[in-house]
Amino acid sequence: MDLSEFFSSVFDFSDYGQLLPLVTNSLWAAAILGLVGGLIGVFVMMRDLAFAVHGIAELSFAGAALALLLGANVVLGSLAGSIAAALILALLGLKARDRNSITGVIMPFGLGLGILFLALYEGRSANKFGLLTGQIVAVDSVQLNLLAICAAVVVVGLVFVWRPLTFASADPELAQARGVPVGVLSIVFMFLLGLSVALSIQVVGALLVLSLLITPAAAALLVTSSPRLVVGLSVMFALVSAVGGILLALGGRIPISPYVTTISFAIYLVCRIIMAVRNRNRRLAAAA
């Protein structure tokens, strides 16, 4: 494949106008996931749970693969796997060291189970591939409603525990000394995180879920220290990545996840450059 053939397979907008109305549900789903990913990603960064997100994604993949094998609802299977992994981490991994080791155990186990279930599945290969790399036109009205309900649970839950969770995430020892139920908050947050991971897998797949739950928040933290602005930028970056990825993927023949991850990574690089320029200007001003 030469360079022209590569770009024609990645970007082909000849029938874009006819295809766009077909992915209305997917665009709404991407917007919902961008909102959820941007909000929850801030706390994932504050609580240093990036590695845990990947572990939850692997068990979510296993649950979705089992549902696919049994002919059940894939979204429900993904939710079951994510919540199970999140609660295991919340109950057993109270300390960061324990949590990382437990995550390291869960990840290969979940991935191995998922591969086993997919190997036993005799249906369309596109269904198998979609669990790993995401799907663009597979979101129907029933799945969209389920995604919206689960996203509403996550958003309402975050709003309800926002202040104590922020305190417990920034300084858990002081929060516990002040009477904040740190352990309960950890379980609640991991439950909400499990829901968020399962939702994100529907768009970007199990392998690249970090692009919606980690990268936008990490990019926002590079350019501002204002808590409100961090949340706003994180949500905006996640929305641009998810919705923009679908709009670009509609004009190509490859899965959606490379578009989403590329946009997300490009935003992160821009924020990294902005931070470097700011630091350079501060050093020059101090020297002057």
Side-chain angles (χ1 to χ4, degrees):
M1 176 182 292
D2 57 22
L3 192 60
S4 62
E5 292 177 343
F6 171 77
F7 280 108
S8 65
S9 64
V10 176
F11 302 107
D12 180 12
F13 300 102
S14 56
D15 299 323
Y16 200 80
Q18 290 77 19
L19 293 174
L20 188 58
L22 300 177
V23 294
T24 303
N25 285 343
S26 295
L27 291 174
W28 278 112
I32 292 171
L33 297 178
L35 173 63
V36 171
L39 288 175
I40 201 110
V42 175
F43 289 104
V44 171
M45 295 301 297
M46 291 179 64
R47 300 173 74 88
D48 192 22
L49 289 173
F51 189 47
V53 169
H54 200 32
I56 295 172
E58 303 300 353
L59 265 189
S60 180
F61 161 65
L66 177 60
L68 185 66
L69 176 64
L70 299 178
N73 190 304
V74 175
V75 177
L76 292 179
S78 178
L79 286 170
S82 285
I83 294 173
L87 292 180
I88 290 173
L89 290 175
L91 295 173
L92 300 181
L94 297 179
K95 297 181 180 179
R97 183 180 59 184
D98 295 336
R99 185 172 59 241
N100 289 336
S101 62
I102 294 171
T103 303
V105 172
I106 287 177
M107 280 178 56
F109 175 69
L111 186 60
L113 279 181
I115 293 173
L116 171 63
F117 297 146
L118 289 186
L120 296 175
Y121 177 69
E122 298 180 352
R124 295 173 61 240
S125 59
N127 294 334
K128 303 179 182 181
F129 198 55
L131 293 181
L132 294 172
T133 60
Q135 303 179 65
I136 182 171
V137 295
V139 181
D140 55 26
S141 297
V142 175
Q143 288 178 321
L144 180 61
N145 292 333
L146 181 58
L147 290 175
I149 292 172
C150 293
V153 172
V154 174
V155 173
V156 172
L158 285 176
V159 170
F160 185 73
V161 301
W162 192 277
R163 292 188 65 184
L165 183 62
T166 302
F167 187 18
S169 301
D171 195 337
E173 289 80 11
L174 180 59
Q176 190 168 19
R178 292 287 182 88
V180 177
V182 175
V184 175
L185 283 174
S186 178
I187 295 175
V188 171
F189 175 73
M190 293 301 290
F191 173 78
L192 297 177
L193 179 60
L195 285 178
S196 303
V197 171
L199 299 182
S200 300
I201 283 177
Q202 305 309 309
V203 171
V204 293
L207 297 181
L208 302 172
V209 69
L210 299 181
S211 62
L212 283 182
L213 296 184
I214 303 297
T215 310
L221 288 169
L222 291 175
V223 295
T224 182
S225 58
S226 169
R228 292 184 179 179
L229 192 54
V230 165
V231 174
L233 287 177
S234 177
V235 171
M236 184 182 71
F237 293 160
L239 283 172
V240 171
S241 300
V243 177
I246 286 183
L247 291 176
L248 287 178
L250 193 59
R253 299 199 302 265
I254 62 177
I256 179 180
S257 51
Y259 297 99
V260 175
T261 54
T262 300
I263 294 174
S264 183
F265 183 66
I267 292 173
Y268 179 83
L269 284 182
V270 171
C271 292
R272 195 87 192 177
I273 293 172
I274 292 174
M275 184 191 68
V277 171
R278 282 181 178 176
N279 291 339
R280 177 177 175 275
N281 291 338
R282 288 172 184 169
R283 287 195 300 267
L284 292 177

